[in-house]
Amino acid sequence: MAQTESPSAPGRRPRGAMRQEILDVALELFNEQGYEKTSLREIAERLGVTKAALYYHFERKEDILLELHLRLHALGRGMLDQLDALGDERTMVAAWPRLMDEFIDQVLANQDLFLLHQRNQSAFEQLVHNERHQAENEDIEERFRRFMANTTIPLEQRVWMSCSVGAVLSGLMGTGGMYGPGAEPEQVAVHVRAAVHRLFPAQGA
């Protein structure tokens, strides 16, 4: 009978901690050799656990890929949560450059996730019809659209806000090699921040 990992077993890592370790190691391997070329056995070997222990947390490799993708969703949801907490529209506009600075920091801290998407685009196409992915994606898009449709904020400001999100994502996604050798992510981020603050000179001053 296959041995499974119990969340309360003595000497075992907590279930949540183990799941995160699996995701971290899988992310490393997917970026090193590609999603398609990485097996669950290799992930288990690098972790130093049995395949049975891995199956206790993730039955399929696709489930791991989905969880890694949802880490990116969490970045967008975090920014939207901060906006909702501000409440007042004028406060939202004034806080936008700061929120973008924090978003840039988060993107930099999660470069490996963005690199995963760049290098394994065909694998992520498998997630398009996943119900959980669709629900998460639709929720974030709906919240963002609702914010951008808020007519109490001048249209000009809303367009700039939307453009600044695109500038952060497109600008920092390029750190995977688009800018050529020598363009370090932190160096690129300096110019991305400058581009965002040029859109909001008064607030960003």
Side-chain angles (χ1 to χ4, degrees), residues 173-191:
M173 285 285 278
T175 58
M178 184 172 75
Y179 300 115
E184 296 297 327
E186 291 76 13
Q187 186 180 15
V188 173
V190 169
H191 300 295

Side-chain angles (χ1 to χ4, degrees), residues 33-90:
Q33 57 194 35
Y35 171 79
E36 298 295 344
K37 295 181 179 179
T38 301
S39 67
L40 289 176
R41 175 185 56 78
E42 289 175 297
I43 296 172
E45 286 178 353
R46 180 165 292 193
L47 275 165
V49 301
T50 64
K51 283 183 67 176
L54 190 63
Y55 286 141
Y56 178 80
H57 299 276
F58 297 101
E59 294 183 0
R60 304 178 305 159
K61 192 169 63 167
E62 292 83 355
D63 297 330
I64 295 176
L65 188 69
L66 175 61
E67 290 297 330
L68 288 172
H69 179 71
L70 293 181
R71 282 183 172 182
L72 289 182
H73 281 210
L75 298 183
R77 188 178 298 104
M79 185 178 71
L80 290 168
D81 288 344
Q82 289 189 66
L83 282 173
D84 289 342
L86 292 172
D88 176 72
E89 288 78 9
R90 292 182 63 183

Side-chain angles (χ1 to χ4, degrees), residues 40-145:
L40 289 176
R41 175 185 56 78
E42 289 175 297
I43 296 172
E45 286 178 353
R46 180 165 292 193
L47 275 165
V49 301
T50 64
K51 283 183 67 176
L54 190 63
Y55 286 141
Y56 178 80
H57 299 276
F58 297 101
E59 294 183 0
R60 304 178 305 159
K61 192 169 63 167
E62 292 83 355
D63 297 330
I64 295 176
L65 188 69
L66 175 61
E67 290 297 330
L68 288 172
H69 179 71
L70 293 181
R71 282 183 172 182
L72 289 182
H73 281 210
L75 298 183
R77 188 178 298 104
M79 185 178 71
L80 290 168
D81 288 344
Q82 289 189 66
L83 282 173
D84 289 342
L86 292 172
D88 176 72
E89 288 78 9
R90 292 182 63 183
T91 305
M92 291 178 183
V93 174
W96 192 262
R98 173 182 60 79
L99 293 178
M100 286 294 96
D101 276 339
E102 293 176 4
F103 188 49
I104 289 169
D105 290 338
Q106 292 176 337
V107 173
L108 285 174
N110 289 275
Q111 290 175 62
D112 288 346
L113 286 175
F114 287 93
L115 187 61
L116 175 67
H117 277 67
Q118 287 179 292
R119 293 181 174 176
N120 300 274
Q121 292 182 14
S122 61
F124 282 99
E125 292 174 3
Q126 302 173 27
L127 302 180
V128 172
H129 302 295
N130 180 280
E131 290 184 5
R132 185 182 173 197
H133 171 264
Q134 286 181 326
E136 293 258 2
N137 199 55
E138 289 172 5
D139 176 64
I140 292 174
E141 287 186 357
E142 171 58 27
R143 290 178 65 185
F144 188 73
R145 283 195 298 266

Side-chain angles (χ1 to χ4, degrees), residues 3-16:
Q3 182 181 5
T4 58
E5 178 180 309
S6 168
S8 59
R12 299 283 188 181
R13 287 167 282 198
R15 187 172 191 272

